[in-house]
Amino acid sequence: MQATVAVYRAHCTSAAFSLWFSAGLPMMARRTAALAWRCLVALLLGCQLAALAQTPGPAATFPPGATPLRFGILPLGGAFESRNDWEPMLADLSRGLGRPVSMLSVSSYEALEQAIQRDQVDMAFLSGKMALDAVTQRRMNVVAQVTRHDGLPGYRALLLARKTGPRSTLQNLLAEPERWRLARGETRSVSGFIVPQLQLFLPNHIVMETRFASEMVGTHQATALAVANGEADVATNNTADFERFRLQFPAEAERLQVIWESELIPHAQIVVRRDYSPEFQKKVQDFLLAYARAKGPRGDAERAVLKSLHDLAGFLPADNSSLLPAAKLAYQLARQSAMTAQFVSEAARQARLQRIENGYAEQVAALRTTAP
């Protein structure tokens, strides 16, 4: 089934490219045809997502009845794109642990969070708020944190706009947000919502959900395409995903510019369900820390896998305390939102602020208790 989908996906990509570059069509017709084809491909492949999302590796490799380790991944580009990106590494993880590993690749943060709530995920690649909720509410532990080739301890949130036109500068955006069409990430997305709201919009008395002319919510790839294709005026994004976007959509990326960037945001974490023994969690951590570190052909192959996987360089040891920056971001956003919101009385506002303080203190205490 996976091979059939891969062949079909390649065929669809080829057809889409042929439509895109058809010389016999005007530019607008080519653009419309390409967008329509992408939507059709997404619809057809999406129908198979449920069947494919948790398909384990080759059954012959493992003892009969071996239970798969269910791995959940954030929808960075799209469900199937993320799945293809992660498959090689998860195959290596399966061999390293000596048990099958299945993948849950979904189309939204909410779908992944619901799967975690239903105990359908044993291990996951999560960032910021989702990793924080998984540890503090869903009985999971951080075992590692990703690192990238640039060597920085994190990435930055971005705002993208078109290079030309009346809505192309940060000054104009802040002056008249109600005239701009916004494309943003889900509310659980650190770079797609939380950090832009906290570090830029709320300090300028702009609430993202209510002040813009219109709003669309999607992946970082979708929001960047929306601005490039004139369907939105500004999009939230981040440095890592925009680098990837430049490689995948060079023509569209050339139309875009960065008009704002945030402070550094810590990289994503790998979390494992706390139900697994400390020994098993340590085994997973040891595999991740050693991955792509060896010399020779095997190490080169693993480094190539990580390079194609969002330009990762490897994994660093981490525990739940690595989520303290994410907890602080969530606390700051909640507090700033309470300060700017309308309440029936000042006493009600103060009560809300006190609950936020108490919740943050509890989170910090829980994150500093890092034993599995």
Side-chain angles (χ1 to χ4, degrees):
M1 175 66 78
Q2 290 181 7
T4 302
V5 171
V7 171
Y8 178 66
R9 189 171 184 266
H11 171 72
C12 290
T13 302
S14 173
F17 270 67
S18 115
L19 280 170
W20 185 266
F21 291 109
S22 294
L25 290 175
M27 177 62 72
M28 184 59 70
R30 277 185 281 164
R31 187 176 299 166
T32 303
L35 289 172
W37 188 263
R38 285 177 187 167
C39 292
L40 176 60
V41 170
L43 178 63
L44 292 173
L45 292 180
C47 294
Q48 301 185 47
L49 178 59
L52 286 174
Q54 301 194 40
T55 304
T61 308
F62 310 103
T67 304
L69 179 72
R70 302 164 299 178
F71 192 101
I73 52 177
L74 285 172
L76 297 181
F80 276 88
E81 182 180 346
S82 295
R83 180 183 183 84
N84 287 345
D85 290 342
W86 278 92
E87 272 181 339
M89 187 194 149
L90 294 187
D92 290 340
L93 175 63
S94 179
R95 287 187 287 271
L97 298 179
R99 64 182 294 175
V101 176
S102 65
M103 192 189 321
L104 178 65
S105 178
V106 295
S107 59
S108 69
Y109 284 64
E110 183 178 1
L112 181 55
E113 182 170 320
Q114 289 175 352
I116 294 173
Q117 290 176 2
R118 293 192 295 264
D119 292 339
Q120 295 175 341
V121 175
D122 303 305
M123 183 176 175
F125 167 71
L126 302 174
S127 65
K129 183 65 165 63
M130 287 201 66
L132 179 65
D133 290 345
V135 167
T136 59
Q137 301 175 22
R138 304 299 169 196
R139 307 187 316 281
M140 302 189 91
N141 281 330
V142 174
V143 296
Q145 190 165 29
V146 304
T147 182
R148 288 171 53 83
H149 285 92
D150 57 20
L152 294 174
Y155 59 102
R156 298 180 190 275
L158 303 175
L159 284 187
L160 304 177
R162 290 177 69 91
K163 290 181 178 178
T164 58
R167 297 181 182 88
S168 59
T169 69
L170 181 62
Q171 182 179 5
N172 289 342
L173 169 63
L174 298 179
E176 296 181 301
E178 59 277 353
R179 300 187 64 175
W180 291 59
R181 298 166 297 168
L182 172 68
R184 65 167 175 86
E186 298 179 58
T187 55
R188 298 169 182 82
S189 172
V190 177
S191 61
F193 180 83
I194 294 174
V195 169
Q197 180 91 305
L198 173 64
Q199 295 185 8
L200 177 67
F201 289 118
L202 287 182
N204 285 281
H205 310 290
I206 298 169
V207 178
M208 289 173 70
E209 306 97 303
T210 59
R211 283 292 299 277
F212 289 91
S214 64
E215 181 182 69
M216 68 156 281
V217 178
T219 64
H220 296 304
Q221 183 185 102
T223 59
L225 281 172
V227 176
N229 293 327
E231 298 163 0
D233 301 309
V234 63
T236 60
N237 216 278
N238 66 62
T239 49
D241 280 282
F242 191 45
E243 286 175 14
R244 186 177 177 81
F245 185 83
R246 289 182 188 276
L247 295 175
Q248 295 177 315
F249 301 93
E252 288 84 351
E254 186 58 31
R255 304 173 200 152
L256 302 175
Q257 63 173 331
V258 175
I259 62 172
W260 174 83
E261 65 178 38
S262 74
E263 300 170 7
L264 277 178
I265 303 167
H267 287 307
Q269 285 90 358
I270 302 293
V271 299
V272 177
R273 189 166 294 284
R274 225 171 276 162
D275 298 343
Y276 286 94
S277 68
E279 293 75 20
F280 179 79
Q281 294 182 48
K282 182 66 164 56
K283 187 175 182 179
V284 171
Q285 184 182 60
D286 289 344
F287 169 85
L288 294 172
L289 300 189
Y291 195 75
R293 305 292 184 185
K295 297 180 180 179
R298 193 191 84 178
D300 291 340
E302 292 174 351
R303 283 184 283 276
V305 167
L306 288 184
K307 177 69 175 175
S308 65
L309 185 59
H310 317 299
D311 196 31
L312 299 185
F315 300 89
L316 299 175
D319 56 30
N320 294 344
S321 64
S322 68
L323 289 171
L324 287 170
K328 186 175 182 179
L329 280 176
Y331 158 73
Q332 290 173 329
L333 178 60
R335 194 176 191 284
Q336 198 163 110
S337 297
M339 293 296 294
T340 57
Q342 293 185 345
F343 286 85
V344 293
S345 67
E346 184 58 27
R349 185 192 308 276
Q350 292 303 318
R352 171 61 179 153
L353 289 171
Q354 189 58 55
R355 288 195 297 272
I356 292 171
E357 294 290 340
N358 294 342
Y360 177 55
E362 291 174 2
Q363 278 191 338
V364 168
L367 294 175
R368 285 177 174 160
T369 307
T370 59

